[in-house]
Amino acid sequence: MGRVTRRAFTVAALSTLSAAHGAAAAPAAPQPPGGAGGRSRGRTTTEMRGMWLATVANRDWPSRAGLSVARQRGELTALLDAAVRRRLNTVILQVRPTADALWPSPYEPWSRYLTGTQGKDPGWDPLGTAVAEAHARGLRLHAWFNPYRVALSTDPARLVASHPARQHPDWVVPYGGRLYYNPGLPEVRAFVLRAMLDAVREYPVDAVHFDDYFYPYPVAGHSFDDDAAYDRYGGGFPSRAAWRRDNIDKLVRETAAGIERIRPGTEFGISPFGVWRNAATDPRGSNTKAGAQTYDDLYADTRKWVREGWIDYIVPQLYWNIGLAAADYAELVPWWAGVARGSRTRLYVGEALYKAGDAAQGAAWRDADELSRHLTLAKKYPEVRGHVFFAARDVAADPSGAMARVVADHYRQSARPPR
């Protein structure tokens, strides 16, 4: 389906929404803390300034599969350099996009997005290199995993013969043109935890990061066939939905425990779809009319994870403009601030840099100031501890000048990320 990204599903998820300056030069190199435009001299600004670096379908990197090692390394370090130029401090690198790996994993095959052939050794260690190169630049490196997505097609024969999904076909559910591991099977959860935590064991990553995919986004006319698993394991729950939410709760809790056991001090963060529930569904929800709700459709109780303190940070994807009737950025920021208030979980905001300057996104996103206004609004809420931008290619190229505007208005000095 062309350039697939985890954000492509946002359009379908918000089915009720209406469709309703040239490129600027990169800013100068980061100034030391306390420089011009920031807080008073001698005080260090502390906030998350991150970017996602997506590898699925070669969205951000590598630019295409099959490049030489030197070209792959060069593209990667160029994106890290772009983060430094924009005075960011964190890169969230997608290292397990489709039940595969960007490191020599003993559990899963090498990603096809490196060489074009799943399971083929690329001749170098991308994750190890990324950690070392990021740290050398003063950047933190968060390892981004997709827990349950297996393939962007439904044909298991397209997977390498040694793939765990082919070795255990009973683990896999075809749905909406894709393959997923079944979150309702304890053996699946145990396996994906082992596979992901191997990276934590082998590399000094600064955090483990999940995106917005748990159970898959709803696809009209399709049902996720987990009947056998529900019959076997769901007897103690009032509904299938409650059982599914418990499966995801277990994944979150067990991931947090595994990280703490293997590499204490490594953080755990999640970037969910930006609407937990609409207020019309639940009075605790946001004043939105989104066509998808994480609690009901992805079986991810994101509000609970924050309130219970199961995760170190949350980055809701608030990919809508200020004033959008169905999902207003100005409504969602204070709602999430209220959720985070009094909890141990830090709140960052996920920003849709990729929409800036895109005429198809509506008039608001044609204004290069829209994104900068987001950060101005968010500053009113002390619970908001920073922002993460989707995605690296857009941070580097910045065709609309929106990122340069953010830097000029808000990032005039360097900042260290919260801990």
Side-chain angles (χ1 to χ4, degrees):
M1 56 177 286
R3 283 195 176 273
V4 180
T5 79
R6 67 188 178 118
R7 272 58 184 180
F9 289 93
T10 302
V11 176
L14 286 178
S15 57
T16 60
L17 300 184
S18 61
H21 310 289
Q31 299 178 21
R39 299 178 184 179
S40 60
R41 186 174 299 276
R43 295 181 63 191
T44 301
T45 298
T46 301
E47 65 177 336
M48 167 61 79
R49 298 178 184 173
M51 72 179 187
W52 283 287
L53 202 169
T55 59
V56 64
N58 300 104
R59 198 278 176 192
D60 292 319
W61 174 82
S63 58
R64 59 181 174 83
L67 297 177
S68 68
V69 172
R71 178 76 179 274
Q72 288 186 22
R73 289 178 64 110
E75 289 187 353
L76 175 62
T77 55
L79 291 171
L80 299 179
D81 289 339
V84 173
R85 286 198 307 275
R86 303 297 187 190
R87 300 197 183 97
L88 306 183
N89 54 36
T90 302
V91 173
I92 302 173
L93 173 64
Q94 190 175 35
V95 300
R96 186 180 182 267
T98 51
D100 50 13
L102 270 73
W103 75 97
S105 167
Y107 301 103
E108 294 180 306
W110 281 106
S111 176
R112 63 183 290 266
Y113 302 123
L114 295 170
T115 64
T117 302
Q118 188 175 66
K120 182 179 179 181
D121 189 333
W124 67 303
D125 181 354
L127 176 53
T129 300
V131 172
E133 294 287 351
H135 289 172
R137 289 162 172 77
L139 297 166
R140 293 210 175 133
L141 196 290
H142 294 199
W144 164 15
F145 303 85
N146 186 290
Y148 291 122
R149 183 171 60 201
V150 174
L152 302 182
S153 74
T154 57
D155 183 5
R158 296 177 65 178
L159 302 172
V160 66
S162 61
H163 197 290
R166 292 189 67 177
Q167 301 298 311
H168 303 276
D170 54 312
W171 287 4
V172 178
V173 179
Y175 177 81
R178 291 168 175 74
L179 289 177
Y180 299 90
Y181 282 130
N182 186 347
L185 296 176
E187 57 269 35
V188 164
R189 190 172 68 250
F191 170 76
V192 299
L193 279 169
R194 284 197 303 274
M196 294 185 296
L197 291 175
D198 178 69
V200 179
R201 180 176 290 105
E202 297 298 325
Y203 303 94
V205 297
D206 296 292
V208 167
H209 184 92
F210 288 173
D211 56 20
D212 50 322
Y213 291 111
F214 297 98
Y215 280 86
Y217 281 88
V219 177
H222 295 255
S223 62
F224 191 84
D225 183 7
D226 55 1
D227 289 352
Y230 181 53
D231 289 344
R232 185 172 183 181
Y233 299 109
F237 295 89
S239 66
R240 188 184 302 238
W243 169 71
R244 286 178 173 177
R245 277 189 290 274
D246 185 70
N247 293 330
I248 303 303
D249 283 351
K250 285 187 173 77
L251 173 73
V252 172
R253 293 199 309 269
E254 291 171 6
T255 300
I259 294 167
E260 180 62 24
R261 182 179 67 254
I262 293 169
R263 195 178 290 275
T266 301
E267 296 190 333
F268 180 29
I270 295 179
S271 174
F273 179 73
V275 176
W276 173 71
R277 300 186 96 185
N278 297 319
T281 305
D282 186 324
R284 298 173 298 171
S286 52
N287 184 22
T288 50
K289 298 180 179 64
Q293 303 168 91
T294 60
Y295 182 94
D296 302 278
D297 297 308
L298 308 182
Y299 305 98
D301 193 350
T302 54
R303 180 181 181 275
K304 178 181 181 179
W305 305 341
V306 173
R307 300 304 302 167
E308 296 291 333
W310 293 351
I311 55 179
D312 295 299
Y313 69 82
I314 194 162
V315 195
Q317 297 170 27
L318 304 190
Y319 288 171
W320 309 294
N321 58 276
I322 296 171
L324 186 68
D328 188 346
Y329 185 92
E331 291 280 353
L332 284 160
V333 168
W335 185 87
W336 277 104
V339 170
R341 191 170 299 132
S343 79
R344 65 169 290 272
T345 302
R346 293 188 298 278
L347 171 63
Y348 312 135
V349 177
E351 301 287 352
L353 175 63
Y354 74 100
K355 287 186 175 181
D358 184 350
Q361 299 293 339
W365 290 105
R366 290 196 292 272
D367 184 346
D369 286 331
E370 173 68 22
L371 210 58
S372 181
R373 284 194 288 266
H374 287 197
L375 274 68
T376 299
L377 185 153
K379 283 181 180 177
K380 299 176 183 177
Y381 302 92
E383 294 81 11
V384 178
R385 305 286 301 280
H387 302 259
V388 182
F389 300 90
F390 191 83
R393 183 180 67 196
D394 311 275
V395 168
D398 193 25
S400 70
M403 191 69 211
R405 191 67 54 85
V406 165
V407 174
D409 293 348
H410 303 281
Y411 294 170
R412 295 181 63 198
Q413 70 172 49
S414 301
R416 63 185 182 193
R419 293 289 291 183

